[in-house]
Amino acid sequence: MRIRITHQRITIALQLILLTEAIFAIWQQRWLTAFLSSMIILITFFPVLFERRFRIHIPPELQLSAIGFVFASLFLGEIRDYYSRFWWWDMALHTLSGFLLGILGFLLVHVMNQMERIQIHLKPGFVAFFAFMFALGMGALWEIFEFTMDSVFGMNMQKPMLGDPSGLTDTMWDLIVDALGALTVSVLGWRYLNNPEQDSFLERWINCFIEGNPRFFRK
């Protein structure tokens, strides 16, 4: 309970920062910034709405990680221009996105593996492989989205590196760090399935998800 309260307070603090930014942007007639800040605020409510709508318990650590990622990528990255100010910001966020998507892919196939009405039982190695490919596939779709936005609307989402105006180097590094983040989760998930007694942050998140959603898992 204490952990959940702490995470809620951090989430509220991030939302207040975004709200303050939106108000100042409106005051200064920076309409794009005001719109983006408002949209980010709405996105931060998605985990809670998703949990209430589908009655799926999401571990507070995972909720905060997702909200923190949105805050770091859209607010700090795009609005505060951290992508230009810190050369490593884009790589760090892509690593984190690979990590979070790997967790999502792992939980998705792990739930399917345990549900009685779905008659499948996949080996730990395949579950880990699915988590890895899911995260890498979503990362590739995001790169296609960035390329489309840059080509059609003249945006600069790919952030071309010096000496490579095509953005290919940026895309490849994004996919590489996506893969590293996904690989980390896949290895930890595989270790968990082979030995549930192992203790790490991922094992604790998985156990929290299982305990909060007992109807998805075999008794």
Side-chain angles (χ1 to χ4, degrees):
M1 180 62 69
R2 182 178 300 178
I3 294 177
R4 178 174 286 272
I5 292 175
T6 300
H7 290 172
Q8 288 176 344
R9 289 176 177 174
I10 296 175
T11 299
I12 292 173
L14 295 178
Q15 291 169 338
L16 289 175
I17 293 173
L18 291 167
L19 180 60
T20 303
E21 177 70 23
I23 292 173
F24 273 104
I26 293 173
W27 180 264
Q28 298 171 356
Q29 297 185 353
R30 294 183 288 121
W31 306 118
L32 179 60
T33 298
F35 173 76
L36 288 176
S37 299
S38 301
M39 291 301 298
I40 298 171
I41 293 175
L42 292 177
I43 293 173
T44 61
F45 286 101
F46 281 5
V48 175
L49 296 175
F50 180 86
E51 188 172 21
R52 292 180 179 177
R53 173 64 179 82
F54 297 101
R55 295 186 298 112
I56 297 177
H57 170 73
I58 303 175
E61 298 90 344
L62 189 55
Q63 289 190 38
L64 184 60
S65 298
I67 291 172
F69 174 79
V70 171
F71 182 85
S73 59
L74 297 181
F75 178 71
L76 296 179
E78 296 292 346
I79 296 178
R80 291 297 183 180
D81 201 29
Y82 274 35
Y83 288 123
S84 299
R85 295 167 61 183
F86 305 103
W87 65 267
W88 47 267
W89 193 257
D90 187 47
M91 289 187 180
L93 289 179
H94 273 279
T95 304
L96 180 59
S97 70
F99 181 83
L100 293 175
L101 289 170
I103 293 176
L104 178 61
F106 179 85
L107 289 176
L108 177 64
V109 72
H110 187 44
V111 168
M112 294 174 60
N113 214 25
Q114 295 296 323
M115 293 180 69
E116 294 181 352
R117 59 185 177 182
I118 300 179
Q119 300 298 322
I120 61 172
H121 186 70
L122 305 177
K123 293 183 178 180
F126 186 84
V127 176
F129 178 72
F130 177 87
F132 175 79
M133 295 305 297
F134 177 84
L136 197 57
M138 294 300 293
L141 287 177
W142 178 256
E143 293 301 321
I144 293 174
F145 172 75
E146 286 188 346
F147 174 79
T148 302
M149 296 300 289
D150 289 356
S151 301
V152 177
F153 298 103
M155 300 181 67
N156 187 34
M157 296 188 70
Q158 287 185 291
K159 307 295 187 300
M161 295 182 176
L162 185 64
D164 180 27
S166 67
L168 178 60
T169 301
D170 173 76
T171 298
M172 292 309 301
W173 273 114
D174 288 347
L175 292 175
I176 289 170
V177 295
D178 280 341
L180 291 176
L183 181 62
T184 301
V185 172
S186 299
V187 171
L188 291 175
W190 174 83
R191 189 181 72 165
Y192 167 80
L193 293 176
N194 281 287
N195 186 4
E197 301 302 321
Q198 293 282 351
D199 184 32
S200 75
F201 66 94
L202 181 60
E203 279 80 11
R204 290 192 292 271
W205 289 11
I206 294 172
N207 288 329
C208 182
F209 181 84
I210 293 173
E211 292 171 1
N213 303 279
R215 72 182 190 277
F216 292 138
F217 299 92
R218 297 187 179 99
K219 297 182 180 179

